[in-house]
Amino acid sequence: MATVQQSPSRAQALEAYYQELRQFSTAPLWTVLKSLLTPTPQPRAVPFIWRWRELRPYVYRAGELIGTEEAERRVVMLCNPGLDGAAAVTNTLYAGLQLILPGEIARTHRHTAAAIRFIVEGHGAYTAVDGERTLMNPGDLVLTPNWTWHDHGNESAEPMVWLDGLDLPLVNAIDAMFFEEYPQTVQPVTKALDDSRRKYAQGTLLPAYERHLGHYSPLLNYTWERTHAALIELAAHDTGSPYDGVVLEYVNPRTGGPVLPTMACYAQLLPPGFEGQARRRSISAIFHVVEGEGYTEVGNQRLDWQAKDTFCVPSWAPCRHVNTSSGKPAFLFSFTDAPVLQALGLYREAAE
C-alpha cells in the first residue's frame, strides 16, 4: 500500500483534531489498531528462570528478619523482568516462595484469588482448608480454591518452603478481588486429617453418598508419592508425548476437568536423554523442577535447570524440553492458565 503523503496543513489539522478528542476522553482507533490486532500474541512477560541455589539463602534470610504475624504470609515473590516490577510471573499468573518456620502459624484468611502450593522442601507442616488439615511433604500439590478459609502451620521440627501459585494478576485485572480475615488466627478443624484424600484420591471410585458442588476439586492434597508412582508406571509402557514426555494432568475427580477453574496443573517425566519437539501454545506456563537436570529452549533462549529451579514460558513462545541425563528421568511440575483460555475459546497450539 502506498504511503499517504500529508501536507503540513493536513497533518496539523489531524493533530489538532486528536487533541480536541482527548478533552472528551476519546481517541482515534486508526492510530493504534495495528498494536491492538496483532497477528500473534505479544506478551510483555519474558522467558526467565529463578535458580533455587541462588534464592534459597534469601528465602531463609526472610525468616530471620520478619515473622508471620507481621508479614501474614512470608513470601519472596518471583517477578518477571518484562513486567516492570509487577507482582506477577505472567499477565495472568503469580508465583512466590513461602517459608514457614517451626512453631509458626500463618493466620486464617480467604480471597477470591485461587492458589496452589507445591512443596519444595521440609516435612510435616500443614495447610488447613475449610476445616480440613493435610500434612505436606516435598512434591505434594495442595489446593486452596477461591474463597475458602485457609491457614498454614508448622508443628514439625524443620522449616518448610513451598512454591505458591495464584491467579492473582488475572483476578485483579478483572476487578474481582475480595479478601477477608477469619475472626481467629486458626480456624476450627472439623474434619479428620486428610479426609478428602480418603474419599477422592482413588479417582475412579468416589463416595456415592457425597456430592461436591464446587467448581474446584474436592481433593485437598495430591501427594507426590502417588504422582511419582503413576508417572513411573506409565513410563514403563508408554513413550508419551513428543513435546512433553510422559505427562499427567492433576484433575478434579468429580468432573475429570482441571483442579481449579482458572489454573491447570501437570506433572511430567522426561525419559533419560529425552529431546522434545518444539511447540507453541497460547497459554502462560510456570514450571518447577522436581528432580533431574536439563534445559528448556524458549524462543531463542536456553534455560538450564536443575532440581528446585522455577521457570516460565510466556504465551505463544516456542518451547522444547531436554533431559541432559542419559541415565535418569527428569520430573517437572507446571501450572498454567489453560482453563481460562479454553473456556473463552482462545486456546491454540502449533508444532514449531
Side-chain angles (χ1 to χ4, degrees), residues 260-319:
L260 297 167
T262 53
M263 292 186 287
C265 298
Y266 307 86
Q268 66 193 96
L269 179 156
L270 306 179
F274 178 82
E275 295 189 12
Q277 298 177 20
R279 175 180 55 174
R280 296 177 184 264
R281 295 186 293 172
S282 60
I283 60 172
S284 300
I286 297 175
F287 289 84
H288 180 77
V289 184
V290 188
E291 299 177 29
E293 296 183 351
Y295 64 88
T296 296
E297 292 177 350
V298 187
N300 59 4
Q301 294 190 46
R302 171 171 161 158
L303 306 177
D304 289 277
W305 42 257
Q306 58 186 26
K308 303 181 182 180
D309 290 347
T310 302
F311 62 94
C312 70
V313 178
S315 173
W316 210 242
C319 168

Side-chain angles (χ1 to χ4, degrees), residues 131-134 189-198 220:
E132 179 188 350
R133 281 188 181 182
T134 183
V189 177
T190 59
K191 303 174 184 176
L193 183 70
D194 283 317
D195 182 63
S196 63
R197 191 188 307 174
R198 282 184 291 277
L220 176 55

Side-chain angles (χ1 to χ4, degrees), residues 60-127:
Y60 280 89
R61 178 66 171 149
E64 301 171 7
L65 298 173
I66 192 165
T68 52
E69 290 186 4
E70 183 181 358
E72 180 126 350
R73 297 294 191 264
R74 188 197 289 112
V75 181
V76 175
M77 299 188 299
L78 308 185
C79 301
N80 192 292
L83 297 179
D84 302 321
V89 173
T90 73
N91 280 339
T92 55
L93 299 174
Y94 159 100
L97 293 166
Q98 183 166 172
L99 168 69
I100 187 165
L101 299 175
E104 287 188 329
I105 294 172
R107 65 166 297 120
T108 308
H109 65 208
R110 64 180 178 179
H111 38 69
T112 45
I116 61 100
R117 328 285 176 187
F118 191 82
I119 313 309
V120 178
E121 65 181 30
H123 299 80
Y126 71 82
T127 284

Side-chain angles (χ1 to χ4, degrees), residues 142-313:
V142 176
L143 304 183
T144 306
N146 79 29
W147 211 238
T148 56
W149 293 114
H150 58 281
D151 58 87
H152 313 290
N154 191 348
E155 298 173 348
S156 77
E158 59 181 310
M160 175 170 278
V161 178
W162 61 78
L163 178 72
D164 281 329
L166 286 86
D167 55 8
L168 197 61
L170 173 65
V171 174
N172 279 326
I174 58 176
D175 293 327
M177 179 57 69
F178 292 88
F179 172 84
E180 185 178 358
E181 286 193 341
Y182 197 73
Q184 288 80 43
T185 301
V186 178
Q187 64 179 295
V189 177
T190 59
K191 303 174 184 176
L193 183 70
D194 283 317
D195 182 63
S196 63
R197 191 188 307 174
R198 282 184 291 277
K199 292 177 178 177
Y200 296 106
Q202 299 301 324
T204 55
L205 293 170
L206 306 176
Y209 52 86
E210 231 178 66
R211 287 291 180 267
H212 176 77
L213 301 178
H215 298 294
Y216 52 84
S217 171
L219 181 57
L220 176 55
N221 188 341
Y222 293 74
T223 67
W224 181 245
E225 180 182 14
R226 292 177 61 88
T227 304
H228 182 270
L231 286 169
I232 292 292
E233 182 177 3
L234 187 57
H237 306 282
D238 199 322
T239 58
S241 158
Y243 309 106
D244 299 310
V246 176
V247 58
L248 296 174
E249 181 178 1
Y250 297 85
V251 299
N252 180 337
R254 279 290 183 199
T255 66
V259 291
L260 297 167
T262 53
M263 292 186 287
C265 298
Y266 307 86
Q268 66 193 96
L269 179 156
L270 306 179
F274 178 82
E275 295 189 12
Q277 298 177 20
R279 175 180 55 174
R280 296 177 184 264
R281 295 186 293 172
S282 60
I283 60 172
S284 300
I286 297 175
F287 289 84
H288 180 77
V289 184
V290 188
E291 299 177 29
E293 296 183 351
Y295 64 88
T296 296
E297 292 177 350
V298 187
N300 59 4
Q301 294 190 46
R302 171 171 161 158
L303 306 177
D304 289 277
W305 42 257
Q306 58 186 26
K308 303 181 182 180
D309 290 347
T310 302
F311 62 94
C312 70
V313 178

